[in-house]
């Protein structure tokens, strides 16, 4: 297992080099287009946090939620100006158009969610997917093996155990090995969210150390999912997952200098671009 620490900026450099940055002569749409499928009347903020962070890094964010939540989203357009709300009727068209599809933030655990997630994975098996939250809890895991490009899944411990049917350990080496073996078996990249995150594409295994207890607040996982998908739009899955995990933890490190653990999601969203700039430029 290889350990990547936010206290040692050199650790992230090999992976940051693999993230494709916007080209100087590129045009609109050439630096990534993302479809986000999430949100509900109950959890309307979750997918908005994913959309907010994605708007910093991809050229276009297409957002699809329940009809009720679209009304909420439209009312927030004065704040979020860098995305387009699309209806469920149009979802397949945008899934084909966009480079990456993030499914799950804010989706409720219902039969409708299961049908939606399984339909997207079946109809668009050639696309890049990032699967989070409600999608992980309701999807048919066997569909991962049928995708032409490995999906990135971002479970916490309980979601991982429910998805894959076995318990994790307290030992970090055993957990890293379990994540690697599962990623290989299921044809995916796994980003296991924990105090230390574990990432594997089935070949290598990594542990990302850093951050602090301010990241236990609701919504930080939705921000992470949006960041992962933003990078995956134009880069490989393993580097995208590792860099996103590192950046979120490094952002928490930076915020703690002035705010302790008392920062919120708005603080994280405001600080991530500054952290990314310090790493890539």
């Amino acid at each position: 297992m290889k350990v990547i620490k936010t206290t040692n900026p050199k650790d992230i450099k090999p992976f940051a080099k693999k993230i494709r940055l916007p080209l100087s002569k590129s045009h609109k749409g050439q630096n990534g287009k993302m479809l986000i499928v999430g949100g509900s009347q109950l959890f309307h903020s979750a997918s908005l946090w994913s959309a907010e962070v994605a708007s910093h890094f991809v050229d276009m964010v297409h957002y699809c939620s329940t009809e009720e939540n679209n009304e909420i989203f439209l009312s927030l357009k004065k704040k979020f100006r860098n995305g387009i709300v699309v209806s469920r009727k149009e979802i397949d068209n945008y899934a084909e158009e966009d480079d990456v599809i993030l499914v799950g933030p804010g989706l409720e655990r219902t039969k409708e969610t299961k049908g939606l997630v399984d339909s997207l994975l079946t109809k668009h098996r050639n696309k890049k997917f990032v699967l989070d939250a409600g999608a992980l809890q309701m999807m048919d895991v066997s569909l991962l093996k049928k995708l032409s490009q490995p999906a990135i899944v971002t479970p916490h411990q309980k979601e991982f155990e429910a998805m894959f049917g076995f318990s994790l350990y307290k030992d970090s080496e055993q957990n890293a090995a379990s994540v690697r073996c599962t990623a290989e078996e299921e044809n995916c990249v796994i980003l296991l969210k924990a105090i230390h995150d574990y990432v594997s594409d089935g070949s290598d295994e990594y542990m990302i150390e850093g951050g602090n207890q301010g990241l236990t607040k609701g919504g930080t996982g939705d921000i992470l999912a949006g960041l992962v998908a933003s990078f995956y739009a134009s880069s490989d899955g393993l580097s995208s997952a590792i860099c996103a995990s590192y950046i979120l933890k490094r952002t928490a490190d930076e915020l703690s200098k002035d705010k302790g653990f008392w920062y919120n999601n708005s603080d994280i969203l405001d600080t991530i671009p500054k952290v990314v700039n310090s790493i890539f430029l």
Side-chain angles (χ1 to χ4, degrees):
M1 178 179 63
K2 301 173 183 177
V3 179
I4 299 170
K5 299 181 179 181
T6 58
T7 54
N8 186 3
K10 291 183 179 179
D11 287 351
I12 199 62
K13 293 298 183 183
F15 305 98
K17 290 179 180 178
K18 296 180 181 180
I19 300 297
R20 189 173 77 85
L21 301 180
L23 301 175
S24 60
K25 296 183 179 180
S26 56
H27 300 283
K28 184 171 68 175
Q30 293 180 337
N31 297 304
K33 293 188 290 184
M34 182 194 305
L35 172 63
I36 297 177
V37 183
S40 61
Q41 269 191 303
L42 184 60
F43 303 119
H44 66 271
S45 293
S47 52
L48 294 177
W49 286 319
S50 299
E52 287 283 358
V53 72
S55 70
H56 287 285
F57 299 105
V58 297
D59 284 354
M60 183 56 66
V61 178
H62 295 123
Y63 176 90
C64 183
S65 184
T66 62
E67 293 303 320
E68 296 87 353
N69 199 46
N70 280 345
E71 293 178 11
I72 296 170
F73 190 83
L74 286 170
S75 72
L76 297 177
K77 289 293 286 184
K78 290 183 179 180
K79 178 180 179 182
F80 184 81
R81 298 176 180 272
N82 299 310
I84 297 174
V85 177
V86 301
S87 72
R88 286 279 177 92
K89 296 178 182 179
E90 301 175 286
I91 193 171
D92 288 322
N93 294 330
Y94 284 96
E96 282 300 313
E97 174 186 336
D98 292 344
D99 300 301
V100 64
I101 306 168
L102 168 58
V103 190
L107 287 179
E108 295 184 71
R109 289 175 288 179
T110 63
K111 291 182 179 180
E112 180 185 6
T113 292
K114 178 171 174 54
L116 173 63
V117 176
D118 290 353
S119 175
L120 285 168
L121 292 173
T122 301
K123 290 181 180 179
H124 307 286
R125 62 184 63 183
N126 63 316
K127 304 298 291 191
K128 292 180 174 180
F129 280 91
V130 176
L131 302 167
D132 182 58
L136 300 177
Q137 297 172 40
M138 299 305 300
M139 65 176 288
D140 179 354
V141 176
S142 69
L143 293 174
L144 291 173
K145 295 181 180 180
K146 299 179 181 180
L147 299 176
S148 61
Q149 303 184 73
I152 302 176
V153 299
T154 60
H156 53 60
Q157 181 175 334
K158 289 184 179 179
E159 289 171 335
F160 181 97
E161 293 174 348
M163 283 182 71
F164 301 117
F166 65 92
S167 298
L168 292 167
Y169 309 90
K170 293 183 178 180
D171 180 79
S172 59
E173 291 285 349
Q174 288 179 302
N175 282 339
S178 293
V179 168
R180 176 180 54 77
C181 291
T182 306
E184 180 181 20
E185 173 67 21
E186 302 296 341
N187 181 42
C188 63
V189 176
I190 297 175
L191 194 175
L192 175 64
K193 298 178 290 191
I195 295 175
H196 302 316
D197 290 349
Y198 299 91
V199 180
S200 180
D201 61 353
S203 296
D204 297 305
E205 54 201 57
Y206 301 88
M207 183 170 72
I208 296 87
E209 292 186 2
N212 51 61
Q213 52 266 53
L215 290 176
T216 61
K217 297 181 180 71
T220 58
D222 305 303
I223 294 173
L224 177 63
L227 193 58
V228 170
S230 298
F231 294 145
Y232 196 28
S234 304
S235 306
D236 71 271
L238 181 66
S239 299
S240 298
I242 289 174
C243 286
S245 171
Y246 177 94
I247 288 164
L248 183 63
K249 290 180 179 296
R250 175 88 170 268
T251 298
D253 293 341
E254 293 299 315
L255 285 168
S256 69
K257 294 177 182 178
D258 295 324
K259 295 178 178 286
F261 311 130
W262 324 125
Y263 53 85
N264 61 23
N265 289 325
S266 295
D267 297 321
I268 293 172
L269 290 168
D270 287 341
T271 306
I272 280 178
K274 300 173 186 176
V275 171
V276 171
N277 202 47
S278 71
I279 295 169
F280 291 102
L281 301 178

